[in-house]
Amino acid sequence: MDSPEKWRDIPGYEGYYQVSDHGRVKARARVVHKRITKPGQGSSPVQLWKERMMKISPKSQYNKVTLSRDGKGGTYNVNVLVLLAFVGNPPPRCQALHNDGNPHNNYLSNLRWGTCRDNQLDRKLHGTALDGEKHPNAKLTDAQVQSILSDHRGPAAIARDYQVTTQCVSQILLRKSRRTT
């Protein structure tokens, strides 16, 4: 059973936006003063905004939300907003980490501040690291790398067969590149 959802103001947007420990963001009810560009326009200079849930954009790797205040604002990762509101500012050189490796699970219980090294170790643990054939610039599959390691010909002949550079094959044979299990 889920615990009751707790809400806190987002630092820098107090009274405007709140974030929950479940990773949801809402705009608070408030009075907005509109700018009147021409005298006698007829519209009210004051508008009442109702409280509403913000749309979370899952278009990128992380859930994002756009916030604004006094005509200024930006787009923020929801995981960072949750940690800022419930845990506080990050220690120096730290970033928001997901304990389960799912970047869309922004429950407070799944988030923590950690170093870049912690993040890299988590990626290996969760299988989300972009290494080996998962890397977008990979020219060879892991099976091809294993085949190269067991090939007894010279690097130039192997490179011709796999249509890669001799340097690429040499790095694999010296085990400086594409370490596989």
Side-chain angles (χ1 to χ4, degrees):
M1 182 176 181
D2 277 338
S3 62
E5 196 168 12
K6 295 179 186 119
W7 292 89
R8 294 234 177 121
D9 282 335
I10 295 173
Y13 292 94
E14 292 86 354
Y16 288 78
Y17 298 97
Q18 288 187 324
V19 66
S20 80
D21 60 346
H22 292 187
R24 299 191 317 148
V25 180
K26 68 180 175 183
R28 303 287 312 272
R30 61 186 183 268
V31 175
V32 177
H33 297 279
K34 296 192 291 186
R35 269 186 273 176
I36 297 178
T37 54
K38 296 179 187 172
Q41 250 182 338
S43 65
S44 171
V46 176
Q47 184 178 13
L48 178 63
W49 283 19
K50 294 180 180 176
E51 184 170 283
R52 64 180 165 67
M53 297 304 297
M54 298 295 294
K55 290 183 181 174
I56 304 288
S57 174
K59 291 179 182 176
S60 70
Q61 181 180 3
Y62 297 97
N63 289 343
K64 295 182 181 284
V65 67
T66 302
L67 308 178
S68 65
R69 176 180 181 172
D70 303 327
K72 297 176 185 171
T75 302
Y76 301 91
N77 288 350
V78 174
N79 58 341
V80 172
L81 296 177
V82 171
L83 284 171
L84 286 172
F86 287 91
V87 177
N89 288 327
R93 294 181 301 280
C94 283
Q95 50 195 237
L97 307 182
H98 291 85
N99 295 327
D100 67 357
N102 177 358
H104 299 290
N105 180 358
N106 292 312
Y107 275 71
L108 177 61
S109 60
N110 186 50
L111 301 174
R112 73 183 193 283
W113 293 120
T115 64
C116 185
R117 176 150 173 78
D118 294 335
N119 201 8
Q120 294 305 315
L121 292 171
D122 279 357
R123 289 172 124 191
K124 287 190 180 204
L125 178 71
H126 302 130
T128 56
L130 295 178
D131 55 5
E133 64 186 23
K134 291 180 184 176
H135 195 281
N137 294 336
K139 305 271 188 270
L140 300 168
T141 65
D142 291 341
Q144 289 172 319
V145 170
Q146 289 297 338
S147 178
I148 288 171
L149 288 170
S150 63
D151 198 324
H152 299 293
R153 297 179 294 156
I158 297 171
R160 273 192 303 275
D161 286 352
Y162 288 95
Q163 298 177 345
V164 294
T165 64
T166 306
Q167 181 183 7
C168 175
V169 172
S170 295
Q171 293 292 310
I172 291 169
L173 293 173
L174 293 171
R175 297 189 189 268
K176 290 185 177 180
S177 173
R178 290 297 295 271
R179 295 174 184 91
T180 58
T181 55

